Structure formats: C-alpha cells, structure tokens
Amino acid sequence: MEDYRIRTTKKLIRESLIRLLEKKPINKITVTELCTECEINRATFYRYYEDVYDLLDQLEKQLVLELKNGLHLARNDYTISGFTEEILEVILRNKELSRMLFNERSGKDFLRDILEIAHNKCMEEWKRSGKDIPKNKIDYLCTFITAGTIGILNEWMINDFKETPREIAELIENISHFGIKKIIY
C-alpha cells in the first residue's frame, strides 16, 4: 500500500490534469504546465508517470477497473436498470474524470471499454434467460442497447448529471425493454 504522501501527490497530479483537460486537449498539455498547475517539480511527476498520456491512461484504467469491479460484485438477478445504475454511480463519483474521458478529444478507448463491459453483461443475461436466440441476433441487440446507453450517458454528462443515476438507469431499462414507443406515445 502506498504511503499517504504518495497518494496525496498522485491525487494532486490527477486533479490538476482534469482541470487542464477542461481547458484544452491532452495533446496541448505539457508536463511542465501540469507541474506548475499542481506546484510540484518535474522529478516528482516522472517518479510516477512517463508523460501526460501515461497519466491519462492510468486514470482511465483505474476508472474502468472500478466499473468492472462494481459489476463483478453485482448480484446475478440484476435487472438492466440495476446494473446500469451501478455504472452510473461510479461515473457520478468520478464525474469530472468521466466527463473528460467521454470527451472525443481524449477518450475513444474509454468508450470502447465501457461498451465492452455493458455488452458482456447483456450477453450474460440473455444467455442465462434460456431462450433460444441466435448468437448473431444477441450480438446485434447488445450492440444496439450498449451504443444507445453510451449516447444517453453522454447526454447525461452534457446536462451536468441533472437526473439521478436511478432515473437514468430506469430510462435506459424502459427503452431497452419497450423501445421508444412506450415513452413517446
């Protein structure tokens, strides 16, 4: 386990990167600028990270791991809204980082990782249902639902997380189960 000072320094570096990412894309952020922002020297930064891309990559991996761990601990009888709410809670706890990683400038891999988590969970649930659905149809259904979910998550972030995770999760579940017809008509 890392010493308190190391954890505090890394937290300061991460928070500084997130503040800078709110102003400009990752390819315009230098280590010098980041060190100035968080008031540390470059040697301290390089003790933990190779460059700003390594830092961003580690932040992304940490968030994806937290998402996967949350879903791994999820009950087997989870509904779509239950497991989606789990993802939303993690995103809300890390909202600044999530917003930055969802941003197209810096987070295409993050979106792919989130889609993979959701896709795998859908596949698991539908296979467990016992219905004889051809694999290619399950793949299409999972892709449709997970891509739509990513769109809703992106909109939720753009709207500054106004709705609760439960409200968004229920919206996703209703659209997944009933399509837009039930909601609109």
Side-chain angles (χ1 to χ4, degrees):
M1 178 139 177
E2 289 179 330
D3 151 306
Y4 172 77
R5 290 173 296 157
I6 293 171
R7 285 192 316 270
T8 303
T9 300
K10 285 183 170 183
K11 182 179 180 200
L12 183 63
I13 293 169
R14 289 190 308 263
E15 290 170 351
S16 296
L17 179 64
I18 291 168
R19 279 193 306 276
L20 289 171
L21 280 169
E22 289 173 351
K23 299 173 191 169
K24 59 175 131 181
I26 189 75
N27 64 344
K28 301 290 185 193
I29 298 172
T30 65
V31 171
T32 302
E33 179 181 24
L34 181 60
C35 291
T36 301
E37 175 77 19
C38 61
E39 299 178 346
I40 63 166
N41 64 48
R42 289 169 52 90
T44 301
F45 176 87
Y46 286 117
R47 186 175 305 137
Y48 308 116
Y49 308 104
E50 292 178 21
D51 54 25
V52 292
Y53 296 100
D54 179 46
L55 169 58
L56 184 63
D57 186 52
Q58 286 188 38
L59 289 173
E60 181 181 325
K61 285 178 182 170
Q62 180 182 349
L63 184 56
V64 169
L65 182 64
E66 188 177 342
L67 286 164
K68 285 181 180 178
N69 286 341
L71 293 176
H72 179 69
L73 298 173
R75 300 184 326 254
N76 286 334
D77 62 342
Y78 252 9
T79 61
I80 290 173
S81 69
F83 112 87
T84 304
E85 189 174 354
E86 191 76 38
I87 289 175
L88 298 174
E89 291 290 346
V90 171
I91 288 171
L92 191 57
R93 278 195 304 273
N94 298 280
K95 66 183 181 180
E96 293 84 9
L97 177 59
S98 296
R99 193 185 322 253
M100 293 304 115
L101 291 175
F102 259 82
N103 186 319
E104 263 192 65
R105 294 190 298 224
S106 59
K108 289 187 168 109
D109 290 339
F110 180 66
L111 289 174
R112 188 195 67 240
D113 289 340
I114 297 292
L115 277 171
E116 183 183 326
I117 292 168
H119 185 89
N120 291 340
K121 187 66 174 176
C122 283
M123 294 289 282
E124 227 176 80
E125 293 301 314
W126 285 338
K127 284 178 183 173
R128 196 181 348 221
S129 76
K131 293 184 180 176
D132 190 25
I133 305 169
K135 183 185 176 334
N136 69 325
K137 284 191 179 178
I138 289 177
D139 287 338
Y140 285 125
L141 290 169
C142 288
T143 299
F144 180 79
I145 289 171
T146 54
T149 298
I150 292 297
I152 290 171
L153 294 180
N154 193 42
E155 189 70 21
W156 184 50
M157 288 180 205
I158 288 169
N159 290 326
D160 202 30
F161 306 93
K162 287 181 185 170
E163 297 85 0
T164 66
R166 177 164 294 286
E167 290 171 319
I168 296 296
E170 287 174 356
L171 173 66
I172 291 167
E173 182 169 37
N174 283 331
I175 292 170
S176 298
H177 281 274
F178 308 112
I180 60 170
K181 189 174 183 179
K182 182 176 180 180
I183 295 168
I184 293 178
Y185 303 104

